[in-house]
Amino acid sequence: MDDLEIPSNGRNAVPPPYGTPMQLHVLKSFCNLPAGRPVQATMITVYTITMSPVMDVTVRTASGSEIRAALKVYDRRLGRDLRECLGKHVAHTPEVETAFQYFVKAKKMAPFLRELARRSKEDFTPPEPWHFLDDAGPDCQAEFEAALWAKCDGYFKTETEAYDRLCHLQGEYIPRMLAHVRVIVPVPNVPADLGKYFELKGVLLERISGYNLGDLPISPLAPSDPKKWPSIIQSSVNLAHKLDASGVLMGDCAPRNVIVDKRTHMPFFIDFAQAEFKEILLQAWHDPKDKGWNPEYEYWKTVATRNNPGAIGTEMKGKLKKIKNMELKGIVYPNYESILKEIQQPKKGQKLG
Ligand SMILES: Nc1ncnc2c1ncn2[C@@H]1O[C@H](COP(=O)(O)OP(=O)(O)OP(=O)(O)O)[C@@H](O)[C@H]1O
Ligand SMILES: [Mg+2]
């Protein structure tokens, strides 16, 4: 595997080493792609490789027609920010890969992942992949790769679970999930149960043709009349609240994770790899001894602290000021104080969210 040059801005990055055309094995299909079978994808461009490589691709369907999609691959070997250690990108090299393969073949993965899971649950500061490099032990490079593998595996699971939980919003507020896939790449000669550590999982998403919300003041696809911009920002703020109310708390809620459809100028949220789920948070927080436990209240308290709608509005306000010297006014945010009050004293017949 080659050492890749990752451009500093993450855009127009060099293609990942999957080959063109790429072969994808469809693990789960939500469209007319055949599940359990390989399909061919051709890359048109790479959007970004900040955490995961995300590409604009065409995929040939069983009937011979082609669909255009966004392919996001959870690949530990890439990712400018994913492989960062103390502000520097740590390149994936053949030596590092050899060390990782020895580690896997020596059956060190399972105990390492168990310990990582235990520490992630119990430690005050959960371990990050780069912490292992800092340890400088004999297996430190392999452990860095192993922790990155765990991170990418978690991102795939979280992203696919979020799309499942948000299936009612797909196609209108978030892209449609088309398929869960595996990019077919050479896997080293390891026993079958260890092959998973070299597999590359990914998702094929409906491709939203538009511009990132963060580019609103500069994109040629955005309305040229700045008076139209506040309503696009307001729709995005409202959508952030809608996601919170749907029980999916985005971990990385920012304008760059919002794509605005170039025709309708309606926002679509993307990137749920770091999301958290209400139900799972509540299970973890619940103390059966606490008789006054109000799960709804606890959830919305966290939503209010996180303030995802505010994260969208504040960043956009700063951008408009900086780029266009424009004051963003009149954006309406959720009133968390009254939401929390209502949870404690619900009015008759009134529903939240
Ligand atoms: N469904 C989609 N349609 C069109 N473009 C998309 C789609 N999904 C992702 N992209 C493009 O790819 C970029 C990266 O996607 P995403 O945020 O999911 O990946 P990421 O690795 O988590 O990136 P980051 O860490 O920068 O947020 C988006 O900003 C967008 O430009
Ligand atoms: Mg993103």
Side-chain angles (χ1 to χ4, degrees):
M1 269 166 279
D2 294 325
D3 185 1
L4 289 174
E5 183 199 337
I6 309 289
S8 60
N9 65 1
R11 284 177 188 268
N12 304 317
V14 290
Y18 308 145
T20 290
M22 284 175 262
Q23 299 296 323
L24 307 178
H25 181 90
V26 179
L27 300 168
K28 200 168 179 183
S29 177
F30 302 89
C31 62
N32 61 349
L33 292 174
R37 302 250 298 277
V39 292
Q40 189 171 298
T42 306
M43 187 173 69
I44 297 165
T45 183
V46 179
Y47 287 121
T48 59
I49 317 190
T50 45
M51 291 302 276
S52 308
V54 186
M55 293 155 274
D56 178 4
V57 297
T58 52
V59 183
R60 193 162 297 165
T61 65
S63 61
S65 61
E66 283 193 336
I67 54 168
R68 189 95 176 253
L71 171 64
K72 181 171 184 176
V73 185
Y74 306 86
D75 186 344
R76 74 180 154 84
R77 302 169 307 168
L78 304 164
R80 187 194 65 203
D81 297 351
L82 179 76
R83 298 184 63 91
E84 200 178 275
C85 176
L86 303 173
K88 282 205 176 129
H89 175 81
V90 180
H92 175 266
T93 62
E95 293 73 36
V96 165
E97 188 57 26
T98 304
F100 180 63
Q101 289 186 18
Y102 272 119
F103 189 81
V104 173
K105 284 179 187 167
K107 298 202 180 297
K108 291 184 178 177
M109 264 310 254
F112 174 82
L113 294 175
R114 266 198 303 276
E115 178 61 8
L116 187 67
R118 186 197 63 74
R119 286 182 57 194
S120 301
K121 214 169 153 191
E122 293 172 11
D123 285 10
F124 184 66
T125 313
E128 283 296 325
W130 66 270
H131 294 167
F132 294 94
L133 274 184
D134 225 24
D135 280 353
D139 278 337
C140 69
Q141 282 194 328
E143 286 175 352
F144 176 59
E145 295 303 316
L148 286 172
W149 181 89
K151 195 163 213 171
C152 291
D153 185 55
Y155 283 165
F156 171 77
K157 287 179 178 149
T158 305
E159 190 120 58
T160 50
E161 183 168 350
Y163 274 89
D164 281 351
R165 288 176 182 262
L166 296 173
C167 62
H168 58 295
L169 303 184
Q170 287 188 27
E172 196 178 350
Y173 299 107
I174 67 170
R176 278 186 303 122
M177 173 62 73
L178 303 177
H180 303 175
V181 298
R182 180 162 56 76
V183 184
I184 301 177
V185 286
V187 168
N189 191 13
V190 290
D193 63 321
L194 302 179
K196 64 182 175 204
Y197 300 124
F198 300 96
E199 284 178 352
L200 292 180
K201 298 247 184 80
V203 290
L204 272 177
L205 296 166
E206 172 191 8
R207 175 181 169 270
I208 309 301
S209 185
Y211 52 95
N212 275 65
L213 178 66
D215 293 336
L216 183 68
I218 52 165
S219 173
L221 300 175
S224 52
D225 181 359
K227 286 200 201 79
K228 295 192 173 151
W229 297 349
S231 78
I232 296 172
I233 298 169
Q234 182 68 63
S235 303
S236 306
V237 164
N238 296 350
L239 185 46
H241 182 59
K242 198 179 189 70
L243 291 170
D244 288 341
S246 299
V248 173
L249 198 47
M250 280 183 92
D252 189 12
C253 189
R256 72 165 195 288
N257 286 329
V258 183
I259 307 173
V260 186
D261 186 299
K262 69 177 180 193
R263 289 162 299 121
T264 61
H265 298 288
M266 291 309 287
F268 282 73
F269 273 46
I270 55 158
D271 199 358
F272 301 100
Q274 297 173 62
E276 290 176 285
F277 306 120
K278 177 180 179 181
E279 210 183 308
I280 294 169
L281 287 172
L282 291 178
Q283 274 166 16
W285 294 336
H286 188 204
D287 173 3
K289 281 183 254 139
D290 181 356
K291 297 297 169 215
W293 163 252
N294 182 339
E296 208 54 25
Y297 186 81
E298 294 303 321
Y299 176 67
W300 281 96
K301 233 170 56 182
T302 300
V303 170
T305 311
R306 187 79 60 90
N307 194 5
N308 280 340
I312 297 284
T314 308
E315 193 173 327
M316 288 314 295
K317 188 178 166 72
K319 273 185 190 285
L320 295 195
K321 179 76 188 159
K322 191 169 168 203
I323 301 171
K324 297 285 177 189
N325 196 24
M326 177 179 161
E327 293 296 340
L328 177 67
K329 289 193 194 124
I331 300 295
V332 180
Y333 294 98
N335 184 339
Y336 292 122
E337 210 176 304
S338 82
I339 290 174
L340 288 166
K341 218 184 228 166
E342 223 166 77
I343 293 169
Q344 285 180 309
Q345 302 158 328
K347 286 189 198 133
K348 259 196 179 158
Q350 203 158 22
K351 269 170 84 183
L352 275 163

